[in-house]
Amino acid sequence: MTERLRFQVEKFLTGPNGTKRARAARLELRATSPDVQWLPIETPAFMPVGTSGSVKALTTDEVSSLGAKIILGNTYHLYLRPGHERIEKLGGLHRFMNWKGAILTDSGGFQVFSLSNLNKVDDQGVTFQSHIDGSTHRFTPELSMEIQRSLGSQMVMAFDECPPYPATREQVSRAMKRTRDWAERGLRVELKPHQARFGIFQGGLYEDLRVESAQQITELPFDGFAIGGLSIGESPDMMQKMAAYSAPLLPFDKPRYLMGVGRPEDLVEGVRAGIDIFDCVMPTRNARNKQLFTSFGKINIKNTTYSDDTKPLDPNCQCETCKNYSRAYLRHLFISGEVLSARLNTLHNLSFYAELMRQMRRAILENRFDDWAKSFYTQYHAKSFEK
Amino acid sequence: MTERLRFQVEKFLTGPNGTKRARAARLELRATSPDVQWLPIETPAFMPVGTSGSVKALTTDEVSSLGAKIILGNTYHLYLRPGHERIEKLGGLHRFMNWKGAILTDSGGFQVFSLSNLNKVDDQGVTFQSHIDGSTHRFTPELSMEIQRSLGSQMVMAFDECPPYPATREQVSRAMKRTRDWAERGLRVELKPHQARFGIFQGGLYEDLRVESAQQITELPFDGFAIGGLSIGESPDMMQKMAAYSAPLLPFDKPRYLMGVGRPEDLVEGVRAGIDIFDCVMPTRNARNKQLFTSFGKINIKNTTYSDDTKPLDPNCQCETCKNYSRAYLRHLFISGEVLSARLNTLHNLSFYAELMRQMRRAILENRFDDWAKSFYTQYHAKSFEK
């Protein structure tokens, strides 16, 4: 069998009782082009979300210029439009969207539950109605694999059932059982030789169920593992606590992925707990909705404070937005509904996230993560930005 | 008095009776930065429209990479939002929007008539209600100059009255008279030393009124002249005919500007008639509304024909959109309402317009404009694109 993924922990930090915590690693995924064999990704890493075959508002050249080596594509969206078979016929998702890095595709499960109407789950799969035109569709673990095979992503996620929050112990238990059955069914579907597989475990906010689910999933032959079922409505504190509890339940020598997380603080705490990769729509979606992240905290660019402010958005940032435009201009673009607003804001927010990950990696490698985190929080919460 | 504009006709073609027609020229405008003295513009040239301080969907670096040396800013929009005084305080429009080339600002007159509600014109000026919040404002020839002075554009347009289409001879006559009075009043307002002034003449579709208005305006000390009152609802044929009639009414040794025009065919016929510069929202607006211009004619990218089409939009085009993306992908982005759709489409359309102007200039310099135009039309109208 072809080797589909390489993962090497370069450095890890230990907690008070010798527990292994934050780590810097090198993840390598198979290239789809014949020119290169492996696509290296330095972790901890954040994956920008490219829902429908586009990291919203940016070209792939720009995404790449931010240092992103891997992006996320959504199986649910691409299945509905333009269709996975079409994308495969057009040469796969990489070629379709002109992306030369790696791609992770989710399983479609989460979107089926959260975006579609009238979904009905049974032990065999999920029937749902498209959020686009109301048409009826059905996802099974097998179809999810087939779609992801057509898309040709490097990282294929298992089709899981994510119970809602809040959920009873019984609901979480049942979803866990299905998640394990579906993981096994998905593993029986052959993928392309370059595609690595990630398992997802559940367990909600029940520690003992987390232990059980992690055990069930990690004994299956996956190349990496993801913590599912978090960041779905619980408090940030509960999320961070359960992520920190969950990370060590996963094998040390395989990549760990915390799905759908999160705010800058959540990334810091996730990394501290030993998570390697993250994804979230927050930097891109919030950019289009006036919220920008800076080293001095998050700001609302619509605020009149910025009307006459000639300073760059974040004087500590090296992105094209901060190098070329003033806060006053960014405010004007947002207020005027200019397309450029979405672009410049997205570029900045993703740049901020990328720099945050780079800083954390450096701090781990230099054995000063806790100090770094402390000074990050001090500045991020200082609210000194407006002055 | 400082020299504010240089204009040198490099080559002109003659018509059957020795009339001077299409010309290639070099226009130079004063730079606002201390580093450069003059901003050279090779004509014929098309000016992308940057209504509210942004050529919609593009960064100024991209606009510049298309070869554009001058863009248009709208006085009406910038006066209402963010305000000309604010822009002046922030260092002028160039600095506000990070544009290193030249800027032409219109007078605001046309937008006051077409966009605002309940406008009321009298001999002193125009009272109107903002299309943004309904607030009441009044433009006079003097205020239009003051706003343009604050914005700091290189080319300042006179405040004129553009009669609607259709209009009676009396309406056109009255607007002509006001246009002349207002031109004189505007000339009495001092501008910044780098700002050149353009006069606008009217006359609707009445040839004798065009002659009279051109005479009235060209005897005033403007640095260049514009043909106003066209492309406002009359047929393309009528527009082209009146533009061709009007161009020779303007001095040979000053730049001629045909306002608000137009389609690729209109640019070809305008250049043929001896026009030097053009502006129009068509390439940018239509890009956001699924219409793309190619050397094989214009196409609707939403058409299902393109669903599985892996070819570049226009195989003859060298723009980033055509180099990197397929028709199938562009269709998908449009259908999915992705922000990137507006970007890639705008980039292509403006690139097509820029290349069209470059080709015309070359054809004039090489004394083969008519042949070039014939072959352009043959290909543009062949409808061979779909095959």
Side-chain angles (χ1 to χ4, degrees):
Chain A
M1 199 182 71
T2 329
E3 195 187 16
R4 293 157 308 198
L5 178 151
R6 291 175 179 169
F7 183 72
Q8 188 69 47
V9 175
E10 295 165 80
K11 168 103 182 175
F12 64 91
L13 307 180
T14 46
N17 342 326
T19 49
K20 293 171 179 166
R21 294 162 60 249
R23 63 224 209 131
R26 186 181 166 90
L27 166 65
E28 291 181 285
L29 297 167
R30 280 279 179 199
T32 48
S33 94
D35 310 341
V36 213
Q37 284 239 306
W38 292 97
L39 300 171
I41 298 157
E42 294 185 331
T43 68
F46 178 81
M47 298 185 287
V49 176
T51 302
S52 294
S54 155
V55 174
K56 288 193 195 301
L58 300 190
T59 61
T60 44
D61 278 354
E62 281 169 331
V63 175
S64 189
S65 77
L66 298 171
K69 305 287 187 194
I70 179 165
I71 60 175
L72 182 146
N74 283 113
T75 286
Y76 167 83
H77 291 85
L78 294 166
Y79 158 84
L80 287 177
R81 195 165 58 190
H84 59 293
E85 284 161 347
R86 167 163 294 143
I87 289 180
E88 182 163 33
K89 211 166 59 180
L90 292 168
L93 183 55
H94 294 75
R95 189 160 161 199
F96 183 58
M97 66 183 291
N98 188 39
W99 172 247
K100 291 168 187 73
I103 297 177
L104 177 147
T105 43
D106 64 5
S107 71
F110 185 73
Q111 276 72 28
V112 161
F113 291 110
S114 60
L115 288 183
S116 71
N117 299 314
L118 297 174
N119 62 70
K120 246 181 67 186
V121 55
D122 58 61
D123 285 345
Q124 295 313 304
V126 189
T127 303
F128 62 97
Q129 291 195 311
S130 158
H131 75 292
I132 300 171
D133 62 6
S135 54
T136 300
H137 301 262
R138 185 170 168 79
F139 272 1
T140 60
E142 290 79 10
L143 179 60
S144 171
M145 293 303 115
E146 286 160 25
I147 298 170
Q148 295 183 72
R149 185 175 62 206
S150 293
L151 298 175
S153 52
Q154 272 83 9
M155 277 170 66
V156 169
M157 299 305 297
F159 188 72
D160 63 328
E161 183 182 354
C162 175
Y165 174 83
T168 62
R169 195 179 163 83
E170 288 61 44
Q171 284 178 297
V172 174
S173 256
R174 201 174 52 233
M176 261 175 60
K177 186 187 168 317
R178 277 207 186 112
T179 292
R180 188 199 51 198
D181 291 349
W182 290 358
E184 286 174 344
R185 280 167 55 190
L187 281 165
R188 290 196 284 270
V189 178
E190 206 176 336
L191 299 176
K192 294 188 177 169
H194 72 275
Q195 297 187 291
R197 298 174 194 260
F198 271 58
I200 304 172
F201 79 104
Q202 295 289 342
L205 297 178
Y206 302 92
E207 291 189 352
D208 60 323
L209 297 186
R210 282 279 162 191
V211 172
E212 197 185 328
S213 185
Q215 201 162 8
Q216 289 174 354
I217 299 299
T218 56
E219 69 189 21
L220 299 175
F222 285 108
D223 302 297
F225 296 96
I227 303 170
L230 291 181
S231 199
I232 55 170
E234 75 282 11
S235 74
D237 189 59
M238 287 160 95
M239 189 281 288
Q240 288 181 7
K241 220 178 118 200
M242 189 47 75
Y245 183 82
S246 294
L249 302 176
L250 296 175
F252 179 77
D253 61 349
K254 290 196 171 167
R256 297 166 176 168
Y257 164 28
L258 179 54
M259 302 179 81
V261 171
R263 302 171 307 149
E265 304 92 307
D266 300 328
L267 300 183
V268 174
E269 295 315 308
V271 167
R272 195 196 298 272
I275 307 288
D276 305 302
I277 49 179
F278 303 84
D279 82 282
C280 191
V281 293
M282 188 170 279
T284 40
R285 180 178 293 164
N286 291 21
R288 301 192 302 280
N289 195 26
K290 70 184 179 281
Q291 191 179 70
L292 301 177
F293 296 95
T294 80
S295 46
F296 302 94
K298 53 184 203 285
I299 67 139
N300 175 344
I301 194 62
K302 201 178 167 184
N303 201 307
T304 49
T305 316
Y306 309 118
S307 304
D308 297 297
D309 193 337
T310 54
K311 290 188 287 301
L313 182 55
D314 185 345
N316 296 333
C317 177
Q318 296 302 313
C319 83
E320 292 302 310
T321 301
C322 290
K323 274 195 287 186
N324 293 319
Y325 302 96
S326 66
R327 296 172 186 174
Y329 186 65
L330 294 176
R331 176 177 191 271
H332 168 69
L333 291 181
F334 182 82
I335 300 261
S336 303
E338 288 286 333
V339 177
L340 189 57
S341 171
R343 269 183 80 165
L344 297 182
N345 290 355
T346 302
L347 200 63
H348 170 79
N349 273 0
L350 280 182
S351 180
F352 177 81
Y353 268 60
E355 176 58 22
L356 180 68
M357 302 314 283
R358 275 192 294 269
Q359 285 190 18
M360 287 199 276
R361 181 177 156 82
R362 214 175 306 133
I364 295 168
L365 289 172
E366 296 170 4
N367 209 6
R368 52 176 181 78
F369 183 82
D370 291 336
D371 286 348
W372 172 88
K374 207 174 288 177
S375 85
F376 166 79
Y377 280 125
T378 303
Q379 193 176 30
Y380 194 71
H381 292 142
K383 305 263 175 216
S384 62
F385 183 76
E386 317 284 330
K387 293 158 202 166
Chain B
M1 199 182 70
T2 328
E3 194 187 18
R4 293 158 308 198
L5 178 150
R6 290 175 179 170
F7 185 70
Q8 188 67 49
V9 175
E10 294 165 80
K11 167 103 184 175
F12 64 91
L13 308 180
T14 45
N17 341 328
T19 49
K20 291 169 179 168
R21 294 161 61 248
R23 63 226 208 130
R26 185 181 168 90
L27 166 66
E28 290 181 286
L29 297 167
R30 281 277 179 200
T32 46
S33 94
D35 310 340
V36 214
Q37 284 241 307
W38 292 97
L39 300 170
I41 298 157
E42 295 185 331
T43 69
F46 177 83
M47 297 184 288
V49 176
T51 302
S52 294
S54 155
V55 174
K56 289 191 193 303
L58 300 191
T59 61
T60 45
D61 278 352
E62 281 170 332
V63 176
S64 187
S65 77
L66 298 171
K69 306 286 187 194
I70 179 165
I71 60 175
L72 183 146
N74 284 114
T75 286
Y76 168 83
H77 291 84
L78 294 167
Y79 158 84
L80 287 177
R81 198 168 53 192
H84 58 293
E85 284 160 348
R86 168 163 293 144
I87 289 180
E88 183 164 32
K89 211 167 57 178
L90 292 169
L93 184 54
H94 295 77
R95 189 159 161 199
F96 183 59
M97 67 185 290
N98 188 38
W99 171 245
K100 291 167 189 73
I103 298 177
L104 177 148
T105 43
D106 64 6
S107 70
F110 184 73
Q111 275 72 29
V112 161
F113 291 110
S114 61
L115 287 183
S116 70
N117 300 314
L118 297 176
N119 62 72
K120 246 181 65 185
V121 57
D122 57 62
D123 286 344
Q124 295 313 304
V126 190
T127 303
F128 61 96
Q129 292 196 309
S130 158
H131 75 291
I132 299 172
D133 62 7
S135 55
T136 300
H137 301 263
R138 184 168 169 80
F139 271 2
T140 60
E142 290 80 9
L143 180 59
S144 171
M145 292 305 114
E146 286 160 25
I147 299 170
Q148 295 183 72
R149 185 175 61 204
S150 292
L151 298 175
S153 53
Q154 273 81 10
M155 279 170 65
V156 168
M157 300 305 298
F159 188 72
D160 63 327
E161 184 182 353
C162 175
Y165 174 83
T168 63
R169 195 180 163 83
E170 287 61 43
Q171 284 178 296
V172 174
S173 256
R174 200 173 51 234
M176 259 174 62
K177 187 187 166 319
R178 278 207 185 111
T179 291
R180 188 199 50 199
D181 292 348
W182 291 358
E184 287 174 345
R185 282 168 53 190
L187 281 165
R188 289 197 282 272
V189 178
E190 206 177 335
L191 298 177
K192 295 189 176 167
H194 73 276
Q195 297 188 291
R197 296 174 193 262
F198 271 58
I200 305 173
F201 78 106
Q202 295 289 342
L205 297 177
Y206 301 92
E207 290 188 352
D208 58 326
L209 297 185
R210 282 278 163 193
V211 172
E212 197 185 328
S213 184
Q215 203 162 4
Q216 290 174 351
I217 299 298
T218 56
E219 68 190 22
L220 298 175
F222 285 110
D223 302 297
F225 296 96
I227 304 170
L230 292 181
S231 200
I232 55 169
E234 75 282 13
S235 74
D237 191 57
M238 288 160 94
M239 189 281 288
Q240 288 180 8
K241 222 179 115 201
M242 189 46 74
Y245 182 82
S246 294
L249 302 176
L250 296 174
F252 180 78
D253 60 350
K254 289 196 172 166
R256 298 166 176 167
Y257 164 29
L258 179 55
M259 301 178 81
V261 171
R263 302 171 308 151
E265 304 92 306
D266 300 329
L267 300 183
V268 174
E269 294 316 307
V271 167
R272 196 198 297 272
I275 308 289
D276 305 303
I277 48 181
F278 304 83
D279 82 283
C280 191
V281 293
M282 189 170 278
T284 39
R285 181 178 293 164
N286 291 20
R288 301 192 302 280
N289 195 27
K290 72 183 180 281
Q291 191 179 69
L292 300 177
F293 296 95
T294 80
S295 48
F296 301 95
K298 54 185 204 285
I299 67 137
N300 176 343
I301 195 62
K302 200 178 167 184
N303 201 306
T304 49
T305 317
Y306 309 118
S307 304
D308 298 296
D309 194 337
T310 54
K311 290 188 287 299
L313 182 56
D314 184 346
N316 297 332
C317 177
Q318 296 302 313
C319 81
E320 292 302 309
T321 302
C322 290
K323 274 195 287 186
N324 294 319
Y325 302 96
S326 65
R327 296 173 186 173
Y329 185 65
L330 294 176
R331 176 176 190 273
H332 168 68
L333 291 181
F334 182 82
I335 300 260
S336 303
E338 289 286 333
V339 178
L340 189 57
S341 172
R343 271 185 78 166
L344 298 181
N345 291 354
T346 302
L347 199 65
H348 170 78
N349 274 0
L350 281 182
S351 179
F352 177 81
Y353 268 60
E355 176 58 20
L356 181 68
M357 302 314 284
R358 274 193 294 270
Q359 285 190 18
M360 287 199 277
R361 181 177 156 84
R362 215 176 303 133
I364 295 168
L365 289 171
E366 295 171 3
N367 209 8
R368 52 177 180 78
F369 182 81
D370 290 337
D371 285 351
W372 173 88
K374 207 174 288 174
S375 86
F376 166 79
Y377 280 125
T378 304
Q379 194 176 30
Y380 194 70
H381 292 142
K383 307 263 175 216
S384 61
F385 182 76
E386 317 284 330
K387 290 156 202 166

